């Protein structure tokens, strides 16, 4: 019996030490520093560039969906801009992740950062202080022209002081951040500009590098890495199951014509709790939506069986 107690004591001691070491490691790795290049971009005061940026921010890039707690539709219908003051939070298995204030306020927003620092955060996933950016934004492969337009519009906004709460992570969130979350950068050469037309090529650019359709419609793991077939759906996002967008008969757009596709976007959000940014995407032009439709029709068919019928 005494020998058993001694063995048990040592087991408990070893487990305690292992847990303590693991906890210390997770804590130490919470704010790892990363390095990444600074894109050679500079905000423009040209009105046409700012207008292009505004269009992207309010439509395909859907920045207003996460960086505003206001009612964007009401403000836009009144001809007003939407202050991108942040504070919106995503409730996930990691707890609460808060969006940042991206107005040019110098105390609580992006006014204290250079154009290159903002561009690096968007393109390479590294904050100005060197810490990792959660990969919720799709701009790693966005063209220089569009990245400049977005930053130019962000600079053009009226600065609004709004201190956003810090992210609140649970134990799982801290572990994921410590070992799994890493900066995500471009997966190939970056285009200086992209021709805007209705081709599948431009649709691919919009779907992958601006609107980030694949970000929700392709399965991902805890850290955000893609694990499923492209655009095959099946992600559970806030209780909604993302539909399959491939050409398979199980796909959402299998029997939809181009006009059906455009008409659905023009309707905006039908389910109030849907995480799909319908009300931003409905502001895309017919040409942009046509290009995305043409691209989706080129995808490899993948069958996806979705048991939960609640979808976007």
């Amino acid at each position: 019996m005494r020998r058993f107690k001694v063995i048990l004591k040592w087991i408990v001691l070893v487990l305690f030490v292992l847990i303590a070491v693991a906890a210390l490691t997770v804590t130490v790795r919470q704010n790892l520093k990363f390095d990444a290049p600074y894109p050679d971009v500079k905000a423009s005061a040209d009105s046409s560039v700012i207008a292009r940026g505004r269009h992207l921010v309010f439509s395909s890039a859907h920045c207003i969906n996460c960086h505003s707690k206001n009612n964007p539709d009401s403000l836009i219908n009144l001809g007003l801009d939407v202050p991108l003051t942040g504070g919106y939070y995503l409730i996930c298995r990691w707890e609460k992740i808060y969006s940042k204030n991206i107005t040019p306020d110098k105390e609580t927003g992006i006014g204290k950062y250079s154009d290159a620092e903002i561009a690096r955060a968007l393109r390479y996933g590294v904050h100005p202080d060197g810490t990792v950016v959660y990969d919720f934004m799709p701009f790693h492969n966005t063209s220089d022209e569009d990245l400049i337009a977005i930053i130019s519009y962000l600079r053009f906004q009226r600065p609004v002081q709004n201190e956003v709460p810090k992210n609140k992570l649970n134990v799982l969130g801290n572990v994921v951040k410590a070992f799994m979350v890493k900066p995500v950068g471009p997966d190939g050469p970056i285009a200086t500009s992209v021709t805007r037309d209705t081709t599948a090529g431009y649709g691919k650019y919009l779907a992958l590098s601006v609107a980030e359709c694949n970000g929700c419609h392709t399965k991902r793991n805890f850290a955000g890495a893609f694990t499923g077939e492209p655009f095959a759906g099946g992600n559970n996002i806030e209780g909604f199951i993302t539909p399959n967008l491939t050409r398979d008969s199980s796909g959402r757009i299998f029997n939809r014509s181009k006009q059906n596709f455009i008409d659905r976007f023009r309707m905006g959000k039908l389910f109030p709790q849907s995480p799909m940014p319908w009300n931003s995407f409905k502001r895309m032009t017919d040409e942009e939506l046509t290009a995305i439709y043409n691209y989706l029709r080129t995808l490899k068919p993948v069958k996806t069986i979705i048991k939960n019928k609640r979808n976007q």
Side-chain angles (χ1 to χ4, degrees):
M1 178 63 70
R2 180 176 298 176
R3 183 180 179 185
F4 174 75
K5 289 183 178 180
V6 171
I7 293 174
L8 183 60
K9 179 180 178 180
W10 277 105
I11 290 175
V12 171
L13 180 61
V14 170
L15 287 175
F16 175 79
V17 171
L18 289 174
I19 292 172
V21 170
L24 179 61
T25 302
V26 168
T27 301
V28 169
R29 292 178 61 88
Q30 285 306 292
N31 292 299
L32 294 177
K33 303 293 184 179
F34 298 90
D35 192 20
Y38 291 94
D40 184 19
V41 302
K42 186 173 179 58
S44 171
D46 188 299
S47 60
S48 63
V49 175
I50 293 171
R52 170 65 179 167
R54 184 182 189 277
H55 173 69
L56 291 168
V57 166
F58 283 18
S59 63
S60 54
H62 58 280
C63 308
I64 59 174
N65 281 82
C66 289
H67 291 279
S68 174
K69 295 177 69 175
N70 297 285
N71 185 332
D73 277 349
S74 297
L75 294 175
I76 291 173
N77 289 340
L78 291 172
L80 302 174
D81 280 348
V82 181
L84 303 177
T85 53
Y88 176 86
Y89 63 82
L90 300 172
I91 298 179
C92 61
R93 285 166 283 193
W94 304 349
E95 290 295 277
K96 293 182 178 179
I97 309 295
Y98 290 89
S99 63
K100 306 303 181 185
N101 179 349
I102 55 174
T103 73
D105 181 65
K106 291 187 177 181
E107 294 182 13
T108 64
I110 61 173
K112 55 184 173 288
Y113 303 130
S114 69
D115 295 338
E117 286 175 325
I118 297 170
R120 184 177 76 155
L122 293 173
R123 180 165 286 169
Y124 292 99
V126 177
H127 283 297
D129 66 359
T131 57
V132 68
V133 176
Y134 286 110
D135 192 32
F136 293 134
M137 298 180 293
F139 307 114
H140 311 303
N141 293 282
T142 303
S143 72
D144 287 341
E145 181 181 55
D146 282 345
L147 193 62
I148 289 170
I150 290 171
I151 294 174
S152 298
Y153 175 73
L154 296 183
R155 293 291 196 206
F156 176 77
Q157 298 176 91
R158 177 175 63 88
V160 180
Q161 189 170 60
N162 181 47
E163 188 71 44
V164 173
K166 293 183 179 180
N167 295 335
K168 298 178 181 178
L169 303 180
N170 57 22
V171 174
L172 174 60
N174 287 322
V175 171
V176 169
K177 183 180 179 183
F179 297 105
M180 300 179 69
V181 179
K182 297 179 181 179
V184 178
D187 58 10
I190 302 298
T192 301
S193 63
V194 178
T195 302
R196 302 174 208 163
D197 53 26
T198 59
T199 64
Y202 186 53
K204 179 179 181 179
Y205 168 74
L206 288 173
L208 296 177
S209 302
V210 182
E212 201 196 15
C213 309
N214 61 319
C216 288
H217 291 276
T218 302
K219 280 193 173 182
R220 308 174 84 159
N221 62 19
F222 280 153
F226 293 109
T227 59
E229 290 283 351
F231 294 91
N235 269 331
N236 187 325
I237 301 177
E238 299 176 19
F240 286 77
I241 307 301
T242 58
N244 179 357
L245 298 183
T246 73
R247 291 182 291 119
D248 186 77
S249 59
S250 64
R252 175 61 59 85
I253 66 170
F254 176 65
N255 286 322
R256 284 196 177 179
S257 67
K258 179 192 74 176
Q259 194 58 50
N260 290 153
F261 184 78
I262 293 174
D263 289 345
R264 172 61 190 93
F265 277 88
R266 294 286 174 255
M267 294 169 70
K269 184 172 289 192
L270 301 180
F271 298 96
Q273 301 305 316
S274 171
M276 171 82 165
W278 286 108
N279 290 339
S280 287
F281 288 165
K282 74 180 182 182
R283 299 186 188 98
M284 285 193 277
T285 66
D286 282 1
E287 290 73 21
E288 289 169 330
L289 290 171
T290 296
I292 292 174
Y293 176 82
N294 288 337
Y295 168 62
L296 294 178
R297 302 303 290 180
T298 70
L299 294 173
K300 179 184 74 172
V302 179
K303 185 169 291 297
T304 301
I305 306 299
I306 299 176
K307 295 181 180 179
N308 185 344
K309 296 301 182 182
R310 188 189 186 200
N311 50 49
Q312 300 179 54

